[in-house]
Amino acid sequence: MSGSAGIQQGSPAIGAAGSAPAAPGAGGTEGSGATVGSARIAVKKAQLRSSPRPKKLEKLGVYSSCKAEGACKCNSWKSQNPPPTPPRTDQQPNTVNLQDPCRSCSHTLGDHVTHLENVPEEEMNRLLGIALDVEYLNTCVHKEEDADTKQVYFSLFKLLRKCILQMGKPVVEAQESPPFEKPSIEQGVNNFVQYKFSHLPSKERQTIVELAKMFLNQINYWQLETPSQRRQRAPADDAAGYKVNYTRWLCYCNVPQFCDSLPRYETTQIFGRTLLRSVFTVMRKQLLEQARQEKDKLPPEKRTLILTHFPKFLSMLEEEVYSYSSPIWSEDFLAGSSGGPIPIHTVISAPPVARPLYYNTSPVSVDPSSCGSVSPARKTASVLEPSPGGQKRKPSEPLPHEETKKLRIVGDIPMELINEVMATITDPASMLGPETSLLSAHSARDEAARLEERRGVIEFHVIGNSLNQKPNKRILMWLVGLQNVFSHQLPRMPKEYITRLVFDPKHKTLSLIKDGRVIGGICFRMFPSQSFTEIVFCAVTSNEQVKGYGTHLMNHLKEYHIKHDILNFLTYADEYAIGYFKKQGFSKDIKVPKAKYLGYIKDYEGATLMGCELNPSIPYTEFSVIIKKQKEIIKKLIERKQGQIRKVYPGLSCFKEGVRQIPIESIPGIRETGWKPVGKGKELKDPDQLYSTLKTILQHVKSHQNAWPFMEPVKKTEAPGYYQVIRFPMDLKTMSERLKSRYYTTRKLFMADMQRIFTNCREYNPPESEYYKCANLLEKFFYTKIKEAGLIEK
């Protein structure tokens, strides 16, 4: 028969924040003291189990019911239902004898253990372990001051007492049994490692795995704060939900560390994101703070891992923990093209080793409901609101199975060859970038900023004001800091206007934090229904400029919006900001239809509307690193190809003899390199046939409804300064004259002149002009006719 006791769902349980139940005789209740107490309990159990059988019967007789004749109803020497505050253990007799009379009935203690005479030694030892756990919990109940916690101790105490009486196994009764949420914390962290770091080389990926193991181990030994303490610190949080998880954690994870007769589970294997969210912010802050305080005590091989890489790992994980659209918490999360779920132990699992390096807890200073950390090694930008739609992309994962079935593009390099080449790259500086080499003049703009972020020097947070939640002091201080930065860097913008938008709940700001203070940010407003975001302010304080912060800020913002399925930016840039926005991929060619943004965004006098279309397959925060790796791979491929081509051809001498041009394919050795002509069409060798074909095409172009701006040369009176901007003008009238004079001896000459018309128009006129649009439409029509004539491949 199994013993069981009901634990009220949601009632607080054992231990205070930062503490664990103290074993009898333990020197304290904090971390290491609890470990010592647990060890002492284990020693006492070992000693008792090795004692003679009469001693074991004396111990168990105290907790067994009377078996004497006469239907004695005595349940044990100690009442089965002792008062909530039992007598002190030092007031109880230390030794008993089987001949001693029972305090509850007139029978001897031996009458209480007659049922144990033929019990196997193994079962006897199991019951003895439960008896010592009962004594331990009895002491915990006596020492515990919190009434709710005392109640849970007492429930477990009664459960174990009942198990001795009935010789059953302890079973904690609850509405649900473990696991309580899927995927578990362990599986979620596994998915996180796959999702963010599967593209890294094996050595770098192994570092991430070590960090993940360290983090899971911390959670398994982390001491939660009591529900009453949490209510005092964060009254707006889900108190009832936390209470339920706290009780479960104590009954299934915490107390069984010391009372090993109770079934024990790892926290990371039976709890999921809900519990992790409730402790992550506090835990992250405490771990990093203690790491800084104890950095001199850390072994050298662990110092870099904990002080440099661990903060970055936690920042990236924090984003996925609080993001409502993160795919790592999906039960059907796929690892890659294989289409199967990741087994829970394939990447990492928390090792059941000694207690962690850090285990303290304290109140949190950043409100996770209004702030999200953004920082990645491959990704990042964070948000804690629901995604407006769509799942997050998985850029770091292998291509899905259906993608691999697509026809290969001519010139694609097989992945087998890429992997083979990557294995030959022995210079880590050429592949890893800023971590291993000094920044050079050829480094990417954001390389220095990325390095600082990985070292924890700078942080990125998406923050905003809220009218629905209690103001958070740190968030408000950051918003004030952003208002100051924008006011100083944008002097022509009224301060009242800046303040109104920064503190407007509809606006958010991606803030750049360095040494705890705001040094820059991007204020923006999202319009999910219109599929675009308006960037309102963008600035970095003057003494922190020219460090790549602006580029890294924008890259984080792009990743943030890709996560939220918004792929277009719009902003009005003044004359000083146009250059910056161009470098970030903005242009005057607006992809968003005017009807989408008209009436939604603020119109600024004297500013230029610019737009940027995001590519969801690009990991922007790591884009320059990826390009650097690709360049190194191409370099190695070229070296390999050059090694295969051993024949050296003499240089070309035909140009000295007056030849103006030769076909590329006639260059000696060019075809041996694997070169193939691309887009080559049929060249008409008959001059009359070529003339007739080109004349027909030109007539079609001139008759098109969008050809009217290009019929004749541009007049200086109509377009002042045109010929200072356009060095090589061209028009359809000039082309007609050239055609009549038989100037176009090849199709390439004809196509080059036509293309010059379109290029000149786009260079001189703004994208929103009618001329610009005519050039685009006419160009498309022209190439349609060229293909129809067979002059280029379709």
Side-chain angles (χ1 to χ4, degrees):
M1 180 184 297
S2 296
S4 63
I7 301 296
Q8 181 183 357
Q9 288 295 312
S11 60
I14 308 152
S19 66
T29 59
E30 299 255 343
S32 59
T35 307
V36 173
S38 178
R40 288 180 179 176
I41 294 174
V43 170
K44 288 183 67 176
K45 288 182 178 180
Q47 291 174 346
L48 187 57
R49 286 164 177 165
S50 62
S51 59
R53 191 175 181 88
K55 288 289 184 184
K56 296 180 180 180
L57 292 173
E58 290 171 359
K59 189 72 174 178
L60 292 174
V62 175
Y63 301 99
S64 301
S65 59
C66 184
K67 304 297 187 297
E69 296 180 1
C72 181
K73 296 182 179 180
C74 175
N75 279 327
S76 70
W77 272 28
K78 298 175 183 177
S79 173
Q80 185 181 9
N81 297 303
T85 304
R88 295 179 59 87
T89 53
D90 54 14
Q91 295 175 350
Q92 299 175 4
N94 293 326
T95 59
V96 293
N97 190 284
L98 292 178
Q99 303 306 316
D100 292 340
C102 175
R103 281 179 283 174
S104 302
C105 66
S106 59
H107 302 104
T108 64
L109 182 61
D111 291 330
H112 288 251
V113 293
T114 55
H115 65 295
L116 297 175
E117 292 178 357
N118 298 320
V119 169
E121 200 69 19
E122 182 179 351
E123 176 64 10
M124 183 82 75
N125 289 337
R126 185 184 73 84
L127 294 174
L128 285 170
I130 298 177
L132 284 180
D133 286 342
V134 166
E135 292 181 357
Y136 163 62
L137 285 173
N138 180 67
T139 304
C140 290
V141 172
H142 175 73
K143 291 184 176 181
E144 182 58 55
E145 298 179 357
D146 180 74
D148 292 330
T149 303
K150 187 188 296 286
Q151 179 185 353
V152 176
Y153 276 135
F154 189 50
S155 296
L156 294 175
F157 170 83
K158 290 196 297 180
L159 166 65
L160 296 183
R161 284 287 309 275
K162 188 176 180 181
C163 286
I164 298 177
L165 285 171
Q166 300 178 349
M167 299 179 66
K169 294 184 178 180
V171 176
V172 178
E173 285 188 349
Q175 294 177 1
E176 295 182 48
S177 58
F180 303 112
E181 188 175 359
K182 292 183 180 181
S184 65
I185 296 174
E186 183 178 284
Q187 182 64 71
V189 175
N190 270 294
N191 294 346
F192 169 70
V193 172
Q194 285 281 0
Y195 175 50
K196 293 292 186 183
F197 306 103
S198 60
H199 67 289
L200 294 178
S202 58
K203 187 175 181 180
E204 295 178 58
R205 194 164 56 250
Q206 184 58 37
T207 300
I208 301 300
V209 169
E210 290 301 318
L211 293 173
K213 287 181 179 179
M214 184 192 310
F215 175 74
L216 291 175
N217 195 46
Q218 297 290 338
I219 297 177
N220 282 333
Y221 289 100
W222 191 260
Q223 303 298 316
L224 303 186
E225 58 186 339
T226 61
S228 58
Q229 291 173 323
R230 185 176 177 84
R231 281 196 300 269
Q232 294 175 0
R233 179 179 62 79
D237 285 351
D238 179 15
Y242 179 78
K243 206 172 183 181
V244 170
N245 275 337
Y246 184 68
T247 301
R248 291 168 171 170
W249 170 76
L250 287 162
C251 294
Y252 291 100
C253 304
N254 186 255
V255 175
Q257 291 186 49
F258 314 98
C259 298
D260 60 6
S261 54
L262 290 168
R264 180 175 182 265
Y265 299 85
E266 296 288 4
T267 305
T268 55
Q269 293 179 0
I270 65 172
F271 291 99
R273 178 166 56 167
T274 302
L275 180 72
L276 186 58
R277 278 181 172 176
S278 65
V279 303
F280 190 92
T281 313
V282 177
M283 184 177 175
R284 176 177 179 269
K285 180 183 177 183
Q286 285 297 310
L287 289 177
L288 297 182
E289 179 63 29
Q290 193 159 356
R292 286 190 288 267
Q293 293 176 357
E294 300 184 3
K295 60 182 178 181
D296 296 332
K297 301 178 184 178
L298 297 173
E301 65 274 10
K302 292 289 185 181
R303 193 169 299 158
T304 301
L305 186 70
I306 293 175
L307 297 180
T308 302
H309 301 297
F310 199 40
K312 178 66 178 180
F313 176 87
L314 291 177
S315 295
M316 294 181 66
L317 181 57
E318 182 179 36
E319 178 194 353
E320 303 304 322
V321 168
Y322 291 111
S323 172
Y324 285 88
S325 60
S326 174
I328 70 171
W329 302 106
S330 171
E331 289 192 53
D332 57 353
F333 178 87
L334 300 180
S337 59
S338 62
I342 308 175
I344 194 167
H345 294 291
T346 53
V347 184
I348 44 169
S349 61
V353 293
R355 297 191 69 81
L357 180 62
Y358 320 109
Y359 41 80
N360 292 339
T361 60
S362 71
V364 62
S365 57
V366 179
D367 182 4
S369 62
S370 60
C371 162
S373 161
V374 261
S375 18
R378 189 223 74 67
K379 121 104 255 122
T380 246
S382 119
V383 63
L384 309 182
E385 315 88 24
S387 171
Q391 277 291 326
K392 271 176 64 175
R393 68 207 173 98
K394 302 179 182 180
S396 60
E397 295 181 6
L399 285 174
H401 185 60
E402 60 271 15
E403 292 291 327
T404 61
K405 293 181 178 180
K406 289 184 178 179
L407 292 175
R408 296 183 59 83
I409 300 173
V410 177
D412 269 3
I413 302 172
M415 281 306 300
E416 296 78 12
L417 179 57
I418 295 292
N419 294 331
E420 183 181 343
V421 170
M422 287 186 67
T424 66
I425 299 177
T426 56
D427 180 14
S430 63
M431 291 293 287
L432 301 182
E435 292 84 357
T436 53
S437 61
L438 295 175
L439 299 178
S440 66
H442 302 289
S443 299
R445 284 190 296 271
D446 62 335
E447 203 156 317
R450 188 189 305 109
L451 176 59
E452 287 190 9
E453 185 187 6
R454 290 182 177 176
R455 290 178 175 173
V457 178
I458 59 175
E459 299 176 359
F460 295 88
H461 298 270
V462 174
I463 62 176
N465 196 13
S466 174
L467 299 179
N468 302 323
Q469 296 167 346
K470 185 178 179 180
N472 180 279
K473 184 177 179 181
R474 174 170 291 190
I475 300 301
L476 291 178
M477 291 298 295
W478 283 348
L479 289 173
V480 171
L482 287 163
Q483 188 268 351
N484 289 333
V485 170
F486 293 144
S487 297
H488 281 92
Q489 299 304 125
L490 307 171
R492 294 192 294 178
M493 195 70 66
K495 289 186 179 180
E496 296 81 4
Y497 179 69
I498 292 176
T499 304
R500 179 161 64 87
L501 294 191
V502 169
F503 285 89
D504 176 20
K506 294 180 181 179
H507 287 72
K508 295 182 179 66
T509 305
L510 173 59
S511 57
L512 171 58
I513 312 298
K514 186 174 184 179
D515 298 327
R517 62 186 180 88
V518 176
I519 64 169
I522 301 177
C523 183
F524 60 95
R525 179 174 178 181
M526 303 170 74
F527 295 94
S529 63
Q530 306 305 110
S531 302
F532 77 89
T533 281
E534 178 192 12
I535 294 177
V536 186
F537 308 125
C538 177
V540 174
T541 188
S542 54
N543 61 338
E544 297 286 358
Q545 292 179 1
V546 201
K547 296 182 180 180
Y549 292 152
T551 297
H552 206 41
L553 259 172
M554 187 60 70
N555 286 338
H556 271 300
L557 190 68
K558 290 175 180 178
E559 294 255 332
Y560 177 92
H561 280 79
I562 288 173
K563 234 176 74 173
H564 286 73
D565 202 25
I566 297 179
L567 303 181
N568 283 283
F569 287 159
L570 291 178
T571 187
Y572 272 98
D574 61 26
E575 55 183 322
Y576 303 105
I578 290 177
Y580 164 78
F581 282 109
K582 280 187 175 180
K583 292 176 182 178
Q584 308 309 320
F586 286 72
S587 73
K588 300 175 184 178
D589 184 12
I590 309 300
K591 302 294 185 182
V592 181
K594 195 170 185 179
K596 282 271 190 182
Y597 64 82
L598 191 63
Y600 283 87
I601 66 174
K602 293 166 279 293
D603 198 354
Y604 296 92
E605 186 178 351
T608 303
L609 181 62
M610 302 185 73
C612 178
E613 186 176 22
L614 306 181
N615 188 329
S617 64
I618 295 177
Y620 286 95
T621 52
E622 293 295 313
F623 188 57
S624 57
V625 173
I626 293 172
I627 295 298
K628 190 170 186 177
K629 291 182 180 181
Q630 290 177 347
K631 286 182 178 179
E632 188 65 23
I633 292 171
I634 295 298
K635 178 182 174 183
K636 292 292 182 181
L637 287 171
I638 292 174
E639 291 175 358
R640 174 175 293 207
K641 198 68 177 179
Q642 287 175 337
Q644 295 172 354
I645 303 173
R646 302 186 180 278
K647 187 174 182 179
V648 178
Y649 294 89
L652 297 174
S653 59
C654 56
F655 299 108
K656 294 181 180 180
E657 301 170 1
V659 177
R660 294 185 59 186
Q661 66 180 31
I662 61 173
I664 296 177
E665 55 268 25
S666 67
I667 299 175
I670 193 70
R671 289 191 178 275
E672 286 85 338
T673 65
W675 177 87
K676 294 180 180 180
V678 179
K680 184 177 180 181
K682 181 177 65 175
E683 188 69 73
L684 300 178
K685 296 181 179 180
D686 184 352
D688 293 332
Q689 186 180 358
L690 177 63
Y691 173 82
S692 176
T693 302
L694 298 182
K695 182 179 179 181
T696 302
I697 293 173
L698 186 58
Q699 289 295 336
H700 282 298
V701 171
K702 291 169 69 175
S703 302
H704 195 269
Q705 60 181 356
N706 292 296
W708 60 268
F710 317 110
M711 296 300 291
E712 296 185 355
V714 176
K715 297 178 181 178
K716 294 182 180 180
T717 55
E718 296 177 354
Y722 180 84
Y723 291 98
Q724 279 72 44
V725 176
I726 304 302
R727 297 178 57 192
F728 303 102
M730 183 52 59
D731 60 276
L732 296 176
K733 181 179 180 181
T734 303
M735 287 190 66
S736 297
E737 293 172 353
R738 287 189 169 189
L739 181 63
K740 290 178 182 178
S741 64
R742 301 294 177 118
Y743 169 81
Y744 297 121
T745 56
T746 66
R747 62 184 173 85
K748 291 182 179 179
L749 289 175
F750 179 79
M751 293 171 62
D753 275 356
M754 186 67 75
Q755 186 61 53
R756 184 173 289 118
I757 293 177
F758 309 135
T759 303
N760 291 346
C761 177
R762 285 192 286 259
E763 184 175 352
Y764 182 78
N765 299 287
E768 60 271 16
S769 68
E770 193 172 3
Y771 302 107
Y772 197 103
K773 295 176 182 177
C774 286
N776 289 341
L777 294 172
L778 189 62
E779 180 183 35
K780 185 177 181 180
F781 175 77
F782 167 69
Y783 278 101
T784 300
K785 291 299 178 183
I786 284 288
K787 291 176 182 178
E788 290 176 357
L791 297 183
I792 60 174
E793 291 180 354
K794 294 184 180 181

